Amino acid sequence: MKLFSFFKSAVSPKKSQLPPIGATLGQISSDEYANYTRMLDWLKNTKNKMPVVDPALRKESYEVDPLIKGTIVPFSTNVLLQGHNIKTADNKRFAQAIEDISAYLKEIALMEAFREDAKDLLILTGHSYRRRDYQPGSEKLAKLVRLEPSSIRTYEDPWDSNIVAYHQHVEVPDSWIVDSPTNTVDCWFIPEGLPYIKEEHEDPKALEIFDKVAQKYGIQDKQNLRVDSADRIIAMHRVNPGDPAPIDSVILAIWLKRLLLVNSPNLIFRILSPFIHVVSGQMLEITDYDGNKGLVPSVPQT
């Protein structure tokens, strides 16, 4: 008789005694279906909180992820760019030329430029840009100046892929002081362009070339205009201009992992707290001995 009474009470739980289902906040409803619906809404809303990818988020994602910043990029850089050797058909015959070329590449710090650009090209944007700077009054290359990839857009003629231009939109400080006011500068590197800086040396020929290009392609960004030739730009692309950056596909995973790490104390507290139940299971509707319907969770009560 006692055994039958125990069985009856086990299969006929009262609604008010059922544990809450899913992650709930605030006052818990006595309606298990309401709690279940609330859990589904919580999961749906959580999945919909996708980050909006922009250059700032890409950079921040790279900075906060130790695996990418501390392991993947350094490893790739050291393995792929550990050194270089110049080889010819006859190294002995061209020994002096090899020595001169090697010294020149070291002088312009070519390998250092590749290593510095690796995170931009491989991870952050998929692009790398360097500007050739020449020695004053000479055609001898002095150095390769890095240009911030996120500030540059590449334009290509829709009918001729050989015609490529680069636009750099930057905020330049007015002075060498902390929190200096800035001016917006539009730098254009166009095919067959000549050096031109507004209000400094207005070369009529350089301006004429730019005006023709601006009219043909509808260029409107001309604040504090600076113009030069597209041949001065060395561009490397891992993805096509306008396509998502390599890091975009893993940004969500980075932030979900970071969210989990940051909230792990809260998560542990909620799981271990005896008065807050975060459980995952199924609800089974049953009919007891008296014909009353009820719900039984697959997760047993404490």
Side-chain angles (χ1 to χ4, degrees):
M1 189 67 175
K2 290 183 179 180
L3 180 62
F4 176 75
S5 299
F6 171 78
F7 176 76
K8 181 178 179 181
S9 62
V11 298
S12 57
K14 295 181 180 179
K15 265 191 172 185
S16 59
Q17 294 177 342
L18 286 173
I21 300 301
T24 57
L25 298 174
Q27 185 176 1
I28 298 173
S29 171
S30 60
D31 187 341
E32 291 77 24
Y33 284 113
N35 288 328
Y36 182 71
T37 303
R38 195 172 179 184
M39 179 199 70
L40 293 182
D41 289 340
W42 176 75
L43 292 174
K44 180 180 179 182
N45 292 335
T46 302
K47 292 179 179 179
N48 288 337
K49 291 179 180 178
M50 300 278 286
V52 179
V53 179
D54 57 20
L57 182 62
R58 293 186 182 108
K59 185 175 181 180
E60 189 175 358
S61 300
Y62 169 81
E63 294 292 339
V64 302
D65 191 273
L67 182 62
I68 293 180
K69 183 179 181 181
T71 303
I72 295 177
V73 172
F75 177 80
S76 300
T77 303
N78 291 333
V79 171
L80 299 178
L81 303 172
Q82 56 185 325
H84 65 278
N85 293 310
I86 298 176
K87 297 181 180 180
T88 66
D90 189 341
N91 288 347
K92 185 175 181 180
R93 178 184 177 186
F94 300 109
Q96 185 60 49
I98 293 174
E99 182 179 346
D100 293 342
I101 294 173
S102 298
Y104 176 66
L105 296 180
K106 185 177 181 180
E107 180 182 347
I108 64 173
L110 181 64
M111 292 304 295
E112 286 73 8
F114 286 152
R115 292 189 184 98
E116 186 180 359
D117 290 355
K119 69 176 183 180
D120 290 314
L121 182 64
L122 300 177
I123 302 294
L124 293 183
T125 64
H127 310 285
S128 169
Y129 301 93
R130 290 275 168 169
R131 185 187 68 225
R132 296 184 180 94
D133 277 6
Y134 300 94
Q135 295 181 0
S138 170
E139 294 184 357
K140 184 177 180 181
L141 183 64
K143 57 183 177 180
L144 300 174
V145 180
R146 177 182 177 275
L147 302 180
E148 173 57 45
S150 61
S151 69
I152 296 181
R153 293 198 64 177
T154 300
Y155 293 93
E156 183 178 296
D157 188 290
W159 310 111
D160 189 347
S161 60
N162 294 318
I163 300 177
V164 179
Y166 306 95
H167 173 220
Q168 185 183 25
H169 187 81
V170 291
E171 296 293 330
V172 180
D174 287 340
S175 56
W176 289 358
I177 61 173
V178 178
D179 298 328
S180 168
T182 60
N183 281 322
T184 301
V185 177
D186 286 309
C187 301
W188 283 92
F189 300 89
I190 60 175
E192 301 181 2
L194 297 176
Y196 172 86
I197 301 177
K198 187 176 182 180
E199 297 179 356
E200 288 191 19
H201 50 272
E202 297 193 6
D203 184 347
K205 180 63 176 177
L207 187 59
E208 179 184 349
I209 294 175
F210 175 77
D211 285 342
K212 287 182 179 179
V213 174
Q215 183 177 3
K216 180 178 180 179
Y217 295 102
I219 294 177
Q220 298 180 358
D221 296 319
K222 305 177 184 179
Q223 298 184 67
N224 297 311
L225 183 64
R226 299 171 72 97
V227 183
D228 213 320
S229 174
D231 291 339
R232 287 193 63 181
I233 301 299
I234 299 176
M236 294 189 294
H237 304 290
R238 188 184 177 194
V239 298
N240 293 327
D243 286 352
I247 199 175
D248 287 8
S249 60
V250 298
I251 281 181
L252 179 60
I254 290 174
W255 284 102
L256 287 178
K257 179 175 70 174
R258 183 165 175 78
L259 183 65
L260 179 62
L261 292 174
V262 170
N263 286 300
S264 57
N266 268 344
L267 183 63
I268 294 171
F269 172 77
R270 288 178 178 273
I271 295 297
L272 298 182
S273 293
F275 51 89
I276 301 179
H277 300 282
V278 181
V279 294
S280 176
Q282 295 180 343
M283 296 293 292
L284 177 64
E285 186 176 31
I286 57 98
T287 302
D288 65 12
Y289 182 79
D290 297 327
N292 300 318
K293 290 187 177 181
L295 298 173
V296 174
S298 60
V299 180
Q301 298 186 36
T302 305

